[in-house]
């Protein structure tokens, strides 16, 4: 019986779940009577932690004889919470979850909470190893971890305490991993990390993300599409900007860690950019790469946010031409400075999040309409669905998962583009 891994949260977690599955299987966990379920948690919001607890209880109900192992960011930041759950047999930290020996010494049922919690100080971890994977189960595109952790301390964010300080995977190891995945049939690779644009600061010579991108594209010419996960635009280097302008295989989609469109709120968040920095960045990238598509994370209802401050966030959606919004109603995380700031009423927070989502939805509808009649190259994710180079979802009848097909956009249904194969359109 194979180890079942349930993954929450970011693309980095999805990548690490493949490592978990491999190492746990190699340690013999899948051979145990009743099998094993690993819950790889997220801690970005209080809701994410609640969902993790719910998943653990569900896993126990559905697998009464299995070993239930809890790991990930929520386990790292709240080990006591999960150690106290009767349904959990073992709690592993983010560093421990990637090590085979962590699964060999699985405790017996009924051990006390001290024995079953194995979470060390993530801040003591100084390096991030390259964990080679051959495939990402159920994914048409592959993720490659190039960085982990974060040196910044945004006032709303608990993640540095779950991931530790920033540390990078050496460039050679990243290139080897990308080459290995391409040899195994992947046509698109996504570079991922906790703070992706901080890549390289801890490596000899301090290479930046742009240099890594250009090195991958040069040394792995068979790779058809390279994509970036969320970036911090204030850290975008000259090589990265040049790559966006010159490298067609670098996909024209950037997801920005924006968080707010108001300068005072950005300062209270301890972000390193101001609204004009983001507006200038988007304008410059659009000049270099006119087909670029922007997404962004925005928090609604941050403590002390006035209506005028919120209006600045609403306006920046149009000012930057954002089309793929991830809107988060502010959720105080215990242990962060923002949790101690004056909170807004929950109904105000939820109402502002709804207004932001409506603004994002209007922008997305306009984006869909603007693509009608265009030719697009689509990576098929699953039967009947693919993604454009700009990461817009499209329905298309042809192609197997992992294939890239040429399509013409005939319209949209409000949620996705409607594409017909280019050959049929030409006929």
């Amino acid at each position: 019986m194979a180890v079942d891994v349930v993954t929450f949260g970011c693309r980095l977690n999805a990548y690490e779940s493949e490592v978990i599955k491999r190492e746990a299987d190699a340690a013999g966990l899948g051979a145990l009577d009743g099998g094993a379920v690993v819950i790889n948690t997220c801690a970005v919001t209080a809701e994410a932690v609640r969902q993790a607890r719910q998943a653990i209880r569900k896993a126990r109900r559905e697998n009464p004889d299995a070993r239930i192992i809890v790991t990930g960011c929520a386990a790292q930041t709240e080990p006591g919470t999960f150690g106290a759950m009767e349904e959990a047999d073992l709690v592993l930290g983010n560093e421990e979850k990637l090590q085979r020996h962590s699964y060999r010494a699985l405790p017996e049922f009924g051990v006390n909470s001290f024995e079953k919690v194995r979470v060390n100080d993530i801040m003591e971890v100084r390096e991030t190893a390259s964990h080679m994977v051959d495939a990402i189960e159920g994914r048409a595109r592959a993720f490659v971890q190039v960085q982990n952790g974060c040196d910044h301390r945004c006032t709303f964010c608990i993640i540095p305490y779950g991931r530790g300080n920033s540390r990078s995977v050496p460039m050679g190891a990243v290139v080897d991993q990308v080459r290995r995945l391409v040899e195994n049939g992947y046509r698109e690779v996504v570079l991922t990390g906790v703070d992706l644009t901080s890549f390289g600061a801890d490596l000899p010579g301090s290479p930046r993300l742009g240099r890594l991108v250009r090195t991958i594209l040069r040394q792995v010419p068979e790779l058809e599409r390279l994509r970036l996960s969320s970036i911090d635009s204030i850290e975008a280097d000259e090589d990265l900007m040049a790559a966006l302008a010159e490298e067609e295989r670098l996909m024209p989609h950037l997801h920005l860690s924006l968080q707010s469109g108001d300068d005072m709120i950005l300062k209270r968040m301890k972000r390193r950019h101001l609204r004009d920095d983001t507006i200038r960045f988007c304008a410059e990238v659009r000049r270099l790469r006119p087909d670029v598509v922007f997404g962004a994370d925005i928090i609604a209802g941050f403590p002390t946010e006035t209506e005028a401050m919120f209006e600045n966030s609403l306006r920046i959606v149009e000012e930057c031409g954002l089309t793929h919004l991830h809107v988060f109603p502010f959720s105080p995380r215990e242990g962060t400075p923002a949790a101690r700031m004056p909170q807004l009423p929950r109904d105000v927070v939820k109402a502002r999040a709804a207004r932001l989502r409506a603004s994002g939805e209007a922008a997305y509808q306009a984006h869909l309409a603007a693509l009608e009649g265009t030719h697009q190259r689509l990576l098929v994710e699953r039967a009947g669905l693919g993604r454009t180079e700009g990461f817009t979802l499209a329905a298309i009848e042809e192609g197997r998962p992992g294939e890239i097909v040429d399509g013409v956009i005939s319209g949209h249904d409000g949620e996705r583009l409607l594409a017909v194969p280019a050959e049929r359109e030409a006929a």
Side-chain angles (χ1 to χ4, degrees), residues 117-176:
V117 175
R118 300 175 187 175
V119 179
N120 292 325
D121 184 359
I122 197 72
M123 296 300 178
E124 294 299 317
V125 180
R126 294 290 179 259
E127 295 181 355
T128 287
S130 174
H131 297 279
M132 290 288 194
V133 298
D134 294 317
I136 309 293
E137 184 177 340
R139 304 276 184 165
R141 62 179 56 80
F143 306 135
V144 172
Q145 178 190 11
V146 307
Q147 181 273 341
N148 203 343
C150 185
D151 289 339
H152 310 298
R153 297 295 182 265
C154 298
T155 58
F156 57 83
C157 188
I158 197 72
I159 297 305
Y161 304 99
R163 288 287 181 175
N165 291 316
S166 182
R167 51 210 189 272
S168 308
V169 177
M171 284 208 302
V174 174
V175 172
D176 288 345

Side-chain angles (χ1 to χ4, degrees), residues 199-216:
F199 169 84
D202 57 322
L203 297 177
S206 301
R208 302 290 298 277
L209 179 62
R211 181 178 166 190
L212 175 65
V213 165
R214 304 200 83 161
T215 299
I216 291 170

